[in-house]
Amino acid sequence: MAVITACSTTAAIPDEEQLYIGIDRVNYTDLVKSPHASATQSEISAALACPPNGSLFGSSRTRSPFPIGLWVWNAWSRSESGFSKWVVNTFGKTPIYISTVNPALRAQVAKTTLKSHGYLNGDVQSYVETSSNPKKAKVGYHVTMNHLYTLDTVRYVNFPQHATQLIDSTAQESFIYTGAPFDISNLDSERERVSKLFKNNGYYYFQPSYMSYLADTMMVPGKVQLKLQVADSVPEKALKKWYIGNVDLSLKRTFFEQMTNSDVRRRFTVHFNGTKPPVRMGTILRDMKLRKGHLFRYDDYLESMSLIGGNGLFSMVDLKLAPKDDTPQCDTLNVNLTCVLEKPYDFYIGTNLRGKTSGYFGPELVVGLTKRNAFRGGEKLDINLHGSYEWQVGHKPAGQTEDKSIQSYSYGGDVSIEFPRVYIPFFKFRRRFYTTPTTTVKGSLDIISRSGYFTRHIVSGELTYQLQPTANIRHTISPLVLEYTYLRHGTDKFMELLLQHPYLLLSMLDQFIPKAKYTFTYSSPPNSLNPILWTTSVSESANLLSLGYMVAGKKWYQKEKEMFNNPFAQFLKLETDFTKTWRLSDQSQLLAHLSAGVIWAYGNSSYAPYSEQFYVGGANSIRAFTVRSIGPGGFHSDDADLSYVWQTGDVKLLFNLEYRTQLFGNLHGAIFLDAGNVWTLKGDGQYADEVVKLKNIPKQLAVGTGIGLRYDLDFFVIRLDWGLGLHLPYNTGKGGYFNIPSFRAGQCLNLAIGYPF
């Protein structure tokens, strides 16, 4: 009996209360299907929703059969000991009663929602349905929508003539028009639209509150005659246009610093300390859209604040406008821009647990120095050195019989300069962007050593432009990326492996990789209920160089063409990455992720360079298997130490499904399902199952599931995932789809920083 009492969900419920166990049903009458009705129904559902204790995925109707938090609360809440209080606060969940839900109040809120969307005669009634256990009850609702009121006529009243002309010229953008639903959100949107329209045409002081609506529902049955009118008490200055006057710029190192020097230019005055301004004026004026003599535009004001405040130069930006004088005739706004410079240097030391392409995890040390405003033009100079030591974690792949330990390390350095503009010699780029565009020039050297196999050097340089035309779209263009990879040292065992596999030999050759790359990124607005993130990249190597060789008389598909006495790679590569998030509740999310790619080598290359090939497995991929322990296709080797050398491909497919929820405090949990593999386009003729074939893809997808914990430290997330294999794409000696040889062989533990996608 003690155990039953301890697991009861009603043992500690007061006599006058009933435990809320979810919504019974929501019945709708008079519901006419339309986009507006569906949106209204969604808002009503949100107003009525209230997840019970033990809610499954945040549902208001479905409960988990194991409401552990409620069990803990019932078992420990009546004890006064400090330990009991800690257990309740940490693991318990306070019961949700019918009185807490307050169905009558929720019904009233839903009724108000109906009216605000134009269902002026709508009604919502609630009821409580007691279950077989009188201590438990559900709540239900009856929703009567009735007639939807629409707009019969729309008039704009008392606006000045020039303002009326603005409204008429943008009538197609209006949120209120004949036949539209009488929806409060549309009325508010139209007021905001008209106010912004005026502000973008010089009416600096105009506010939405200066306009009000008059609605008549009596003249035409079931319809509304609507007027939007300007109030009689609007200040005179709000009904006239304003122009930009003098522009004063103050450049400070601290907010309270007093300026002692100034320089008067034709269009502005700059105040500073020292012999010259700490920032070249062109750097700021490129982002300052409010220009002397121009008509005030609100969009120019917002863009100036966004660009100047987001260029990384300043810790604080204050942009104020004030009338030139107090006379009634004044129509000029003086601009005062105060910028407090960010600290000039940043020295940083970072340590990370970093996942490597080799299938190993280990600590990485990064030491760097950043110099802001390096050449007084807003440039950012960054120099860093990094090094890491690696070891493998996770289960042995199926079929591995030896347990060997391989040490490896890597180190290198980067030097980059970022310019806060699009820098193209002899060309001025004048297009406006949502954020300050940047040009980055970078050089790097990395040395990778795999103990017992090889030491490889990678020297690279790149030129990259980053442009963001809107809040949701970003373009990254790298017209020139030059990379040189060469094998500094290879052991006899490794050289023997290369001779056995021509595919691996050709992909590991010393070679130049002259690339160009374009990346498109789209992210949903921050307030999206179910946002997406989509990134697609296209890159190519040496096509222009090969065209030059064709002009010189060499054929396109002729091999062994060289650049600086070394062969160069030629390929076309396409990658895409898509993530969709469904917000189930404030504490839970469901995410779906797709990653795919293909690389095609041709012309001067028989196979794609090793550094450009795809792989799967590991903490950010299929978490039931270690990095590069899967593929290509149905290939499998008993020598697991070679997995990071051999198991790559030209084609990649990866699918992830993950449910995330808050457990308590900063600790979050996850349940996931992963599937994917890589394949070759050509192979080397030794293993037929490695080449991609559409009919083989379903059975050659490695599949794994698992659970995970994430601890959120605000500035980064520590993640621990335990994966369990379900299916391997090759013959393991065990029949059926679930072909993992043993439970022990199917496990993999991943420790990482950050979310996998």
Side-chain angles (χ1 to χ4, degrees):
M1 291 298 294
V3 174
I4 296 175
T5 301
C7 291
S8 170
T9 58
T10 58
I13 303 297
D15 292 337
E16 68 277 6
E17 295 283 5
Q18 286 182 297
L19 182 68
Y20 168 67
I21 57 174
I23 289 181
D24 178 34
R25 64 179 63 88
V26 180
N27 292 322
Y28 285 88
T29 59
D30 303 323
L31 177 60
V32 179
K33 290 186 177 180
S34 69
H36 180 264
S38 298
T40 303
Q41 187 178 358
S42 297
E43 286 198 33
I44 292 174
S45 298
L48 300 178
C50 182
N53 285 104
S55 169
L56 194 62
F57 303 140
S59 171
S60 294
R61 300 186 182 186
T62 307
R63 300 175 67 215
S64 166
F66 307 105
I68 298 174
L70 192 55
W71 289 345
V72 171
W73 190 90
N74 277 283
W76 297 85
S77 64
R78 287 169 290 187
S79 174
E80 296 297 326
S81 70
F83 177 74
S84 297
K85 291 181 178 180
W86 176 83
V87 171
V88 171
N89 291 334
T90 305
F91 302 103
K93 295 289 185 182
T94 304
I96 300 175
Y97 303 129
I98 293 295
S99 61
T100 307
V101 176
N102 200 341
L105 178 60
R106 290 181 180 273
Q108 186 60 41
V109 172
K111 183 177 179 179
T112 302
T113 300
L114 276 174
K115 293 181 181 298
S116 69
H117 283 282
Y119 298 92
L120 303 185
N121 299 322
D123 188 37
V124 181
Q125 297 294 327
S126 65
Y127 64 89
V128 176
E129 185 174 297
T130 302
S131 68
S132 57
N133 182 346
K135 283 290 187 179
K136 298 180 179 180
K138 290 186 175 182
V139 175
Y141 299 92
H142 294 294
V143 181
T144 304
M145 301 190 72
N146 282 321
H147 175 73
L148 171 63
Y149 279 72
T150 58
L151 299 180
D152 180 57
T153 57
V154 177
R155 295 175 57 199
Y156 297 83
V157 182
N158 294 340
F159 288 90
Q161 182 178 0
H162 42 80
T164 302
Q165 291 172 351
L166 281 175
I167 296 174
D168 292 341
S169 66
T170 59
Q172 70 278 5
E173 301 174 8
S174 177
F175 291 91
I176 54 176
Y177 50 87
T178 299
F182 181 55
D183 195 306
I184 298 300
S185 62
N186 288 343
L187 304 188
D188 290 340
S189 297
E190 179 63 6
R191 258 199 329 181
E192 291 289 341
R193 185 192 74 85
V194 171
S195 177
K196 185 176 180 181
L197 175 65
F198 290 174
K199 285 189 173 184
N200 275 331
N201 284 272
Y203 297 90
Y204 172 70
Y205 288 101
F206 197 87
Q207 299 293 331
S209 59
Y210 294 158
M211 297 176 288
S212 62
Y213 285 102
L214 288 177
D216 189 338
T217 61
M218 303 299 293
M219 292 296 293
V220 181
K223 293 184 179 293
V224 178
Q225 293 184 340
L226 189 67
K227 294 179 182 179
L228 177 59
Q229 62 182 18
V230 176
D232 295 331
S233 57
V234 176
E236 182 181 349
K237 64 180 181 180
L239 296 177
K240 68 177 180 180
K241 295 185 177 183
W242 293 82
Y243 295 84
I244 302 300
N246 296 327
V247 178
D248 271 32
L249 169 63
S250 297
L251 296 174
K252 301 182 177 182
R253 288 182 170 81
T254 64
F255 183 77
F256 296 104
E257 183 181 11
Q258 298 298 316
M259 303 290 95
T260 60
N261 203 351
S262 63
D263 187 4
V264 179
R265 308 287 179 91
R266 182 172 61 87
R267 293 187 297 168
F268 65 94
T269 301
V270 58
H271 305 273
F272 56 93
N273 284 330
T275 57
K276 61 183 178 179
V279 180
R280 291 200 301 270
M281 290 301 95
T283 303
I284 299 177
L285 291 181
R286 275 194 304 268
D287 296 336
M288 170 57 80
K289 307 305 178 184
L290 299 173
R291 303 295 175 86
K292 185 175 182 179
H294 288 195
L295 187 69
F296 171 81
R297 294 183 71 253
Y298 186 59
D299 283 347
D300 288 342
Y301 169 83
L302 293 179
E303 188 176 0
S304 299
M305 286 292 292
S306 175
L307 293 177
I308 297 174
N311 62 15
L313 268 177
F314 308 110
S315 60
M316 191 275 288
V317 174
D318 183 30
L319 180 58
K320 294 181 179 179
L321 294 92
K324 181 180 179 181
D325 54 58
D326 296 330
T327 63
Q329 295 78 24
C330 179
D331 63 353
T332 303
L333 296 169
N334 285 340
V335 179
N336 290 282
L337 175 63
T338 301
C339 299
V340 180
L341 290 164
E342 212 16 303
K343 54 184 179 181
Y345 291 97
D346 263 344
F347 177 75
Y348 56 90
I349 299 177
T351 57
N352 301 298
L353 276 176
R354 179 161 181 170
K356 299 294 182 179
T357 58
S358 61
Y360 297 81
F361 277 85
E364 180 185 51
L365 178 67
V366 181
V367 180
L369 176 68
T370 299
K371 173 70 167 70
R372 293 187 179 88
N373 197 32
F375 310 112
R376 294 183 56 249
E379 303 86 358
K380 184 187 295 183
L381 173 66
D382 185 82
I383 304 172
N384 74 71
L385 301 174
H386 53 265
S388 65
Y389 179 78
E390 309 164 356
W391 67 89
Q392 190 171 17
V393 293
H395 77 89
K396 306 180 189 70
Q400 181 180 347
T401 56
E402 301 181 16
D403 186 8
K404 297 180 180 179
S405 174
I406 301 179
Q407 300 175 354
S408 64
Y409 60 87
S410 64
Y411 59 92
D414 302 329
V415 178
S416 66
I417 302 176
E418 180 184 289
F419 301 89
R421 59 188 179 277
V422 177
Y423 184 77
I424 302 176
F426 312 111
F427 180 78
K428 289 187 177 181
F429 207 85
R430 298 185 181 278
R431 179 178 172 178
R432 290 187 171 186
F433 291 95
Y434 180 76
T435 60
T436 303
T438 61
T439 302
T440 302
V441 180
K442 180 180 179 181
S444 63
L445 168 65
D446 288 285
I447 300 172
I448 304 171
S449 176
R450 308 301 182 202
S451 178
Y453 289 95
F454 63 82
T455 299
R456 192 170 180 82
H457 290 199
I458 302 175
V459 182
S460 64
E462 66 179 76
L463 170 66
T464 299
Y465 301 103
Q466 186 157 297
L467 315 172
Q468 188 169 356
T470 69
N472 311 114
I473 293 175
R474 184 171 67 250
H475 304 282
T476 304
I477 306 168
S478 299
L480 179 62
V481 180
L482 185 59
E483 183 178 293
Y484 179 53
T485 66
Y486 63 99
L487 192 66
R488 182 69 177 82
H489 170 72
T491 64
D492 292 340
K493 181 178 180 179
F494 181 69
M495 301 308 293
E496 182 180 349
L497 177 67
L498 294 182
L499 294 176
Q500 293 173 357
H501 300 282
Y503 170 80
L504 185 61
L505 174 63
L506 291 174
S507 65
M508 294 284 284
L509 283 176
D510 296 350
Q511 59 186 317
F512 277 100
I513 308 176
K515 290 194 301 181
K517 184 175 182 179
Y518 165 73
T519 300
F520 171 86
T521 302
Y522 173 82
S523 58
S524 298
N527 58 350
S528 297
L529 182 61
N530 301 311
I532 66 170
L533 176 63
W534 179 40
T535 300
T536 295
S537 298
V538 180
S539 57
E540 63 83 27
S541 175
N543 287 297
L544 289 177
L545 186 60
S546 291
L547 287 174
Y549 269 99
M550 287 182 66
V551 173
K554 294 191 177 183
K555 295 182 178 180
W556 178 269
Y557 282 97
Q558 181 177 338
K559 306 294 184 184
E560 299 181 359
K561 297 190 289 287
E562 294 184 342
M563 177 180 181
F564 305 128
N565 297 322
N566 280 276
F568 58 83
Q570 190 173 1
F571 60 80
L572 181 65
K573 186 176 183 180
L574 175 65
E575 302 170 84
T576 190
D577 194 279
F578 181 85
T579 302
K580 172 75 172 180
T581 302
W582 291 272
R583 301 186 194 277
L584 305 178
S585 69
D586 291 339
Q587 290 80 33
S588 61
Q589 301 172 321
L590 180 66
L591 293 92
H593 173 247
L594 165 67
S595 179
V598 59
I599 183 169
W600 176 43
Y602 53 88
N604 206 47
S605 298
S606 298
Y607 299 101
Y610 185 74
S611 59
E612 296 288 339
Q613 293 172 12
F614 302 104
Y615 59 90
V616 294
N620 297 322
S621 182
I622 310 175
R623 284 159 281 185
F625 310 104
T626 52
V627 178
R628 301 200 188 198
S629 62
I630 298 298
F635 168 80
H636 173 63
S637 172
D638 291 335
D639 191 350
D641 292 341
L642 301 181
S643 64
Y644 68 85
V645 175
W646 175 247
Q647 296 187 258
T648 60
D650 306 315
V651 179
K652 171 187 173 183
L653 276 179
L654 175 65
F655 306 93
N656 307 94
L657 188 66
E658 180 167 301
Y659 170 72
R660 299 173 184 170
T661 186
Q662 181 182 18
L663 299 178
F664 52 85
N666 291 331
L667 186 65
H668 300 253
I671 303 172
F672 55 83
L673 179 69
D674 306 324
N677 205 338
V678 294
W679 295 265
T680 64
L681 288 175
K682 302 175 184 177
D684 59 6
Q686 298 188 43
Y687 308 103
D689 286 346
E690 72 183 71
V691 180
V692 63
K693 295 180 180 179
L694 289 178
K695 65 178 182 179
N696 292 337
I697 287 178
K699 69 179 181 181
Q700 288 183 347
L701 289 176
V703 181
T705 186
I707 58 176
L709 294 174
R710 293 95 166 85
Y711 192 78
D712 191 349
L713 295 176
D714 292 331
F715 52 95
F716 68 87
V717 173
I718 298 176
R719 174 165 56 94
L720 181 66
D721 287 330
W722 174 73
L724 179 64
L726 300 178
H727 176 74
L728 284 165
Y730 50 83
N731 183 12
T732 64
K734 185 176 180 180
Y737 186 81
F738 302 99
N739 62 350
I740 304 298
S742 67
F743 180 78
R744 180 179 179 183
Q747 298 180 70
C748 185
L749 194 64
N750 299 279
L751 179 63
I753 292 177
Y755 288 104
F757 48 85

